[in-house]
Amino acid sequence: MPNYQDIIEAIASELNNVKEKGTVASYIPELSKIDPNKFGIHLVDSQMNHYSAGDADELFSIQSISKVLSLSKCFALVGDSIWERVDVEPSGDPFNHLSLLEFENGIPRNPLINAGAIVVADILVSNLENPKDEFLYFIRQITNDDSITYNEKVAESEKNTGFKNIAAANLLKSYGNLENDVDEVLDFYFHQCSIEMSCKQLANAFYMFMNHGKCQRGKTYLNINQVKRINALMLTCGFYDEAGEFAFEVGLPGKSGVGGGIAAVFPDKFSVVTWSPGLNLKGNSKLGMQALEKLTTKTSQSIF
Ligand code: DON
């Protein structure tokens, strides 16, 4: 087995010298306050050994990484009926693009672009009595950590400026692909994106995607075939119009967020999370992608 601790420490120190760290997201004003020099990485292997470097215990906004977790909760709850309302094809478009949605009559390309995640949020709002409480409970259960919570300021900040998402939700509604009130669904969606977690907590949450649906406490949340599908979606759609580049450079299923986090898994081997707030032009963490490329190259461990 590779010496993960030595490897991730070497990666953290190599990236410390990189000057071009990307740009912190500012379209959600509350996120623009984050220090661009933060960098964390945490890896948990299949035997539940933990390896950490940098700011791996510091909380950050998980943003779109939450889409994998809401999809999981939804898939476990309603099964394959979800695929009647959202497709499973890569979009090749930015995360907030709307033209394909109009072109394809209100069926989002996949559940990891914003429009798809809004449909998933709608299904959760329809099926849960108290969606925000129950979703948070699910995340606390899979991580075994009751300290995880929403950041109300970030949710409010996105609510005030999330005009593209408001447009997406209205477009979905116009095609009959949104059951609930636009405002109610978006309130849930903005909250799920506002959840704050550290690299370590997220690596714990993603453990079940590398462990056939079973969390570290041994409870099964998704069956093997559901995990297969979620990992396939991460690989093909997790980085929007940069999914090809991530597969090419890193070679793992993963998901990014505009808070600068990236979570990735190697089935049966490890779950790993990086955090560096500067984003590249596609909205994915610039140094996070470089760190994961170094990890899979230095360890010669990728699904390919
Ligand atoms: O809906 C949005 O625009 C944000 N709450 C999440 C976007 C995001 O994280 C895209 N990922 N790289």
Side-chain angles (χ1 to χ4, degrees):
M1 200 169 75
N3 187 331
Y4 289 125
Q5 188 59 37
D6 283 357
I7 291 169
I8 64 173
E9 275 174 21
I11 292 170
S13 85
E14 282 167 37
L15 291 178
N16 202 20
N17 302 322
V18 175
K19 297 238 156 22
E20 199 32 77
K21 293 184 195 296
T23 312
V24 175
S26 58
Y27 77 100
I28 301 172
E30 206 47 38
L31 294 184
S32 67
K33 300 175 180 166
I34 310 299
D35 177 358
N37 296 310
K38 296 285 180 189
F39 179 85
I41 179 166
H42 190 95
L43 185 148
V44 51
D45 70 17
S46 56
Q47 303 306 304
M48 292 181 241
N49 299 306
H50 287 259
Y51 310 91
S52 249
D55 305 307
D57 285 319
E58 204 162 311
L59 300 180
F60 62 89
S61 196
I62 70 170
Q63 291 298 322
S64 284
I65 301 173
S66 70
K67 293 169 180 170
V68 180
L69 304 172
S70 58
L71 173 64
S72 301
K73 176 78 189 161
C74 188
F75 203 7
L77 210 58
V78 306
D80 285 326
S81 66
I82 187 175
W83 312 123
E84 289 161 20
R85 295 182 53 190
V86 55
D87 207 345
V88 294
E89 293 299 334
S91 67
D93 275 341
F95 59 87
N96 56 5
H97 234 237
L98 296 179
S99 54
L100 267 180
L101 185 61
E102 167 94 314
F103 197 65
E104 294 176 347
N105 301 319
I107 301 294
R109 269 286 167 116
N110 66 67
L112 301 182
I113 54 170
N114 287 7
I118 291 170
V119 167
V120 170
D122 182 54
I123 299 173
L124 288 176
V125 168
S126 292
N127 284 278
L128 299 175
E129 215 161 287
N130 191 331
K132 279 192 260 184
D133 284 357
E134 288 175 55
F135 183 60
L136 194 55
Y137 179 74
F138 168 69
I139 298 208
R140 289 174 171 180
Q141 287 286 299
I142 59 172
T143 49
N144 197 18
D145 191 331
D146 284 345
S147 70
I148 297 166
T149 195
Y150 298 112
N151 181 324
E152 293 293 340
K153 270 193 183 163
V154 171
E156 184 66 22
S157 181
E158 186 166 13
K159 188 177 179 175
N160 293 332
T161 54
F163 304 113
K164 268 262 173 104
N165 285 326
I166 296 167
N170 278 289
L171 204 50
L172 289 164
K173 189 90 182 162
S174 78
Y175 283 106
N177 199 8
L178 207 78
E179 286 176 356
N180 300 283
D181 255 18
V182 163
D183 288 347
E184 192 183 356
V185 176
L186 287 176
D187 181 61
F188 177 76
Y189 173 74
F190 294 146
H191 273 85
Q192 72 167 73
C193 291
S194 83
I195 288 175
E196 292 189 324
M197 290 167 83
S198 64
C199 293
K200 182 176 184 185
Q201 289 169 329
L202 262 177
N204 284 335
F206 273 64
Y207 183 90
M208 68 173 175
F209 302 115
M210 71 106 173
N211 192 37
H212 311 287
K214 218 186 256 188
C215 78
Q216 291 180 57
R217 283 180 300 137
K219 183 165 177 195
T220 301
Y221 287 90
L222 295 160
N223 70 40
I224 289 178
N225 293 324
Q226 289 173 324
V227 171
K228 171 185 77 177
R229 295 194 163 136
I230 289 175
N231 286 347
L233 284 165
M234 281 200 259
L235 184 78
T236 54
C237 313
F239 298 82
Y240 317 110
D241 44 342
E242 206 169 33
E245 179 80 5
F246 191 82
F248 182 80
E249 295 290 349
V250 179
L252 297 175
K255 184 73 205 82
S256 62
V258 290
I262 298 180
V265 293
F266 190 141
D268 291 321
K269 283 206 165 58
F270 60 76
S271 153
V272 63
V273 174
T274 57
W275 175 48
S276 172
L279 308 179
N280 64 20
L281 292 175
K282 311 276 185 177
N284 299 314
S285 170
K286 190 167 176 136
L287 295 196
M289 282 185 68
Q290 290 178 19
L292 293 171
E293 185 279 324
K294 286 177 188 291
L295 176 71
T296 55
T297 303
K298 282 177 195 280
T299 59
S300 300
Q301 287 187 320
S302 97
I303 64 163
F304 302 111

